[in-house]
């Protein structure tokens, strides 16, 4: 018999014997294997090496050969990943709410759950032209500074207004990246962070993933309540507030000028940062816009966040953080450690897009379209489902916040019934850091193809509600 045949037989025999052993069991010594199988020491050594390469056994010099703890699975056998539960330990990463935001519904479903513009509302021609021009630049594939292209940073500085300089701006990969970076940079794991109640559920997920403990501060029709904010800072010792003062997600509330001053004063008094999420500044419905909190901040209290993703396209993952003082240096250090710098072509395309008259035309047209859609959704709800209460018709943003009659659980019941009718909505529970005070839905008006489809979506939603209520 040839050496190769003898080796193959021995490997097959040992594999069968090992299958009857438990992980960690010791195999007979090489000398015993030579005697037991009437083969040469060289054949035994080669067989053991082959089994080790397959991951079936582990050799420990001076101790012997042992059955591996995690054996390779046989063909068609299900993988056993249960060991990972112990290895990973406890973490506060819960992507379910974010998955709910991003999971596409079935093709036939009308979506009132989206947080992005429908393709018909996106500046697709301008985006394509900008990307094409950017790609033709001779330096399009060069590396960029960690903070981002100066021309792009200057654009964001002008958007924020006041005395903001390009050197204060850090380019990010969209708003969610900016949130995650800010939470990890500003607050230590285990720290409390104050958030509006309700608030953007993607922010809650990012905060918890950073090891922070979101503490809710109630809002009313005018946004966060300063009296309760002061109490929350005093009782928790928090040094960070995350808030959306302009076209709040999900309610659409706008913080009045007097409250803006109060919020800044309260944070300054306790030595806390404010993370101002101004995601909707370019999603106004045509009216005047309030100044960002950042514009009235002279001492670095405010870290400002904004993005081009919402007013342009889901795949234009370009955002910005604006900060001054030591916190700005820490944010840049986080960017550097995370991924050095962001890809240049998309930054160049964003510069091209913002530098053309087509961008301003897009924003004017978008404002009109969003205003019309918002009014149409509110009117359809009032007609078809008068039992529901719209928190207020916002002057900007992409959503209506709706209070339902009945217990908290009814929101999930109605959302499930709506999906069965072919319409997707967002359940309000995920927008609260603690127990929801009632049943809510967030209804979007920017993800449908047109006003006709928006009206049909509400009609189906009405059917779902009345069937679930009967």
């Amino acid at each position: 018999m040839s050496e190769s045949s003898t080796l193959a037989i021995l490997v097959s025999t040992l594999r069968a014997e090992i299958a009857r052993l438990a992980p960690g069991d010791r195999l007979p010594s090489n000398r015993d294997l030579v005697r037991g199988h009437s083969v040469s020491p060289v054949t035994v050594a080669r067989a053991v090496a082959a089994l080790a390469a397959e991951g079936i056994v582990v050799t420990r010099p001076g101790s012997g050969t042992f059955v591996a703890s995690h054996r390779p699975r046989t063909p068609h056998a299900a993988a056993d990943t249960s060991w990972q539960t112990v290895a990973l330990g406890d973490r506060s990463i819960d992507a379910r709410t974010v998955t709910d935001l991003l999971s596409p519904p079935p093709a036939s479903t009308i979506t009132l759950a989206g947080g992005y513009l429908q393709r018909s509302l996106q500046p697709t021609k301008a985006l394509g032209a900008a990307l094409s021009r950017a790609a033709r630049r001779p330096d399009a594939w060069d590396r960029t500074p960690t903070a981002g292209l100066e021309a792009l940073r200057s654009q964001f500085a002008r958007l924020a207004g006041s005395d903001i300089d390009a050197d204060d701006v850090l380019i990010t990969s969209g708003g969610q990246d900016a949130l995650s970076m800010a939470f990890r940079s500003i607050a230590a794991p285990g720290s409390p962070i104050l958030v509006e109640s309700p608030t953007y559920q993607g922010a809650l997920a990012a905060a918890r993933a950073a090891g922070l403990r979101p503490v809710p501060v109630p809002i009313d029709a005018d946004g966060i309540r300063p009296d309760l904010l002061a109490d929350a800072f005093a009782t928790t010792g928090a040094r960070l507030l995350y808030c959306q003062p302009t076209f709040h997600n999900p309610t659409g509330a706008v913080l009045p000028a007097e409250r803006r001053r109060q919020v800044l004063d309260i944070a300054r008094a306790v030595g806390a940062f404010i993370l101002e999420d101004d995601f909707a500044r370019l999603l106004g419905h045509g009216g005047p816009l309030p100044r960002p909190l950042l514009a009235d901040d002279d001492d670095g209290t405010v870290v400002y966040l904004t993005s081009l993703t919402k007013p342009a396209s889901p795949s234009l993952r370009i955002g910005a953080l604006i900060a001054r003082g030591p916190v700005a240096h820490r944010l840049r250090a986080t960017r550097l450690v995370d991924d050095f710098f962001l890809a240049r072509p998309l930054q160049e395309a964003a510069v091209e897009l913002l530098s053309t008259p087509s961008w301003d035309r897009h924003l004017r047209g978008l404002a009109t379209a969003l205003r019309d859609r918002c009014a149409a959704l509110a009117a359809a709800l009032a007609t078809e489902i008068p039992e529901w209460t719209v928190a207020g018709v916002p002057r900007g943003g992409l959503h209506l916040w709706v209070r339902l009659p009945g217990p908290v659980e009814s929101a999930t019941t109605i959302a499930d019934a709506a999906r069965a009718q072919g319409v997707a909505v967002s359940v309000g529970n995920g927008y609260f850091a603690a127990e929801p005070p009632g049943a809510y839905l967030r209804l979007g008006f920017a993800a449908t193809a047109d006003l006709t489809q928006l009206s049909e979506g509400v009609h189906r939603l009405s059917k779902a509600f009345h069937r679930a209520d009967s």
Side-chain angles (χ1 to χ4, degrees):
M1 185 179 294
S2 67
E3 174 66 20
S4 60
S5 298
T6 303
L7 176 60
I9 293 171
L10 180 59
V11 169
S12 178
T13 301
L14 291 178
R15 194 182 287 118
E17 293 178 359
I18 290 169
R20 295 191 291 270
L21 300 176
D25 283 355
R26 188 177 186 278
L27 271 64
S29 67
N30 284 15
R31 182 179 299 175
D32 290 341
L33 291 175
V34 167
R35 286 198 299 265
H37 295 277
S38 301
V39 294
S40 70
V42 173
T43 301
V44 168
R46 289 178 177 173
V48 170
L51 294 171
E54 294 178 16
I56 295 175
V57 299
V58 176
T59 58
R60 299 172 187 165
S63 298
T65 303
F66 299 83
V67 179
S69 298
H70 311 294
R71 305 181 201 175
R73 58 193 177 103
T74 58
H76 312 299
D80 180 10
T81 59
S82 58
W83 63 273
Q84 294 184 6
T85 302
V86 177
L88 287 172
D90 181 37
R91 286 292 298 276
S92 297
I93 298 178
D94 184 358
R96 286 174 296 180
T97 54
V98 180
T99 301
D100 292 342
L101 290 173
L102 299 178
S103 298
S108 60
T109 299
I110 295 174
T111 180
L112 302 180
Y116 298 108
L117 299 181
Q118 208 272 344
R119 189 179 301 160
S120 62
L121 296 177
Q122 299 172 22
T124 51
K125 290 184 179 179
L127 284 165
L131 190 59
S132 178
R133 291 193 301 271
R136 291 197 295 269
R137 293 188 176 189
D139 57 353
W141 292 96
D142 290 354
R143 62 155 292 180
T144 63
T146 297
L149 293 176
E150 183 176 4
L152 185 55
R153 289 186 281 121
S154 296
Q155 294 276 12
F156 277 111
R158 282 193 289 274
L159 177 64
S162 189
D163 59 347
I164 302 303
D165 185 83
D167 290 339
D168 301 322
V169 180
L170 174 65
I171 302 301
T172 67
S173 180
Q176 195 66 23
D177 176 51
L179 275 175
S180 177
M181 191 186 311
F183 286 147
R184 290 184 290 117
S185 299
I186 298 173
S191 302
I193 170 179
L194 303 187
V195 299
E196 297 150 318
S197 182
T199 191
Y200 168 50
Q201 56 183 326
L204 293 176
R208 288 169 176 144
L212 307 181
R213 296 185 292 108
V215 178
V217 181
I219 67 172
D220 57 22
D222 289 326
I224 196 166
R225 292 177 50 183
D227 57 332
L228 297 179
L229 176 63
D231 290 343
F233 272 125
T235 57
T236 65
R239 290 295 177 265
L240 176 61
L241 163 67
Y242 167 76
C243 67
Q244 305 164 88
T246 304
F247 308 137
H248 172 267
N249 178 9
T251 68
V254 176
L255 202 62
E258 177 60 25
R259 285 199 184 184
R260 288 173 181 253
R261 287 190 293 270
Q262 292 174 333
V263 167
L264 275 171
D265 290 343
I266 290 168
R268 288 190 188 114
V270 298
F273 288 101
I274 298 173
L275 179 56
E276 179 183 9
D277 188 347
D278 203 15
F279 77 99
R281 178 149 297 271
L282 299 180
L283 297 174
H285 296 175
L289 295 174
R291 287 159 56 89
L293 296 180
L294 178 72
D296 296 313
D297 171 39
D298 298 324
D299 50 13
T301 296
V302 177
V303 175
Y304 180 86
L305 183 164
T306 192
S307 168
L308 298 178
T309 304
K310 296 290 187 182
S313 165
S315 286
L316 188 63
R317 306 300 300 171
I318 294 290
L321 285 167
I322 300 178
R324 290 165 288 185
V327 69
H329 298 295
R330 182 171 293 187
L331 287 166
R332 282 170 171 75
T334 303
R335 160 94 296 144
L336 185 63
V337 171
D338 277 356
D339 51 12
F340 298 163
F341 55 90
L342 298 182
R344 185 165 188 147
L346 203 58
Q347 292 191 56
E348 295 281 11
V351 171
E352 290 284 352
L353 178 68
L354 298 179
S355 302
T356 60
S358 61
W359 177 244
D360 290 332
R361 287 197 299 271
H362 163 67
L363 292 180
R364 290 194 296 271
L366 179 62
T368 300
L370 292 179
R371 182 177 65 245
D372 292 346
R373 284 165 172 256
C374 180
L377 178 58
L381 288 171
T383 300
E384 298 245 16
I385 323 177
E387 299 92 335
W388 293 6
T389 304
V390 176
V393 179
R395 295 181 283 117
L398 307 174
H399 313 103
L400 292 182
W401 185 241
V402 181
R403 176 73 182 261
L404 312 182
V408 171
E409 297 78 11
S410 63
T412 301
T413 301
I414 292 169
D416 291 341
R419 185 169 286 271
Q421 290 291 325
V423 59
V425 298
S426 295
V427 177
N429 297 11
Y431 296 86
F432 294 92
E435 293 81 5
Y440 291 89
L441 295 179
R442 191 190 75 167
L443 303 180
F445 46 79
T448 56
D450 49 36
L451 293 177
T452 300
Q453 192 178 74
L454 189 63
S455 177
E456 174 62 21
V458 175
H459 182 63
R460 295 184 188 183
L461 195 54
S462 175
K463 285 184 177 179
F465 168 64
H466 290 107
R467 288 184 181 180
D469 196 44
S470 61

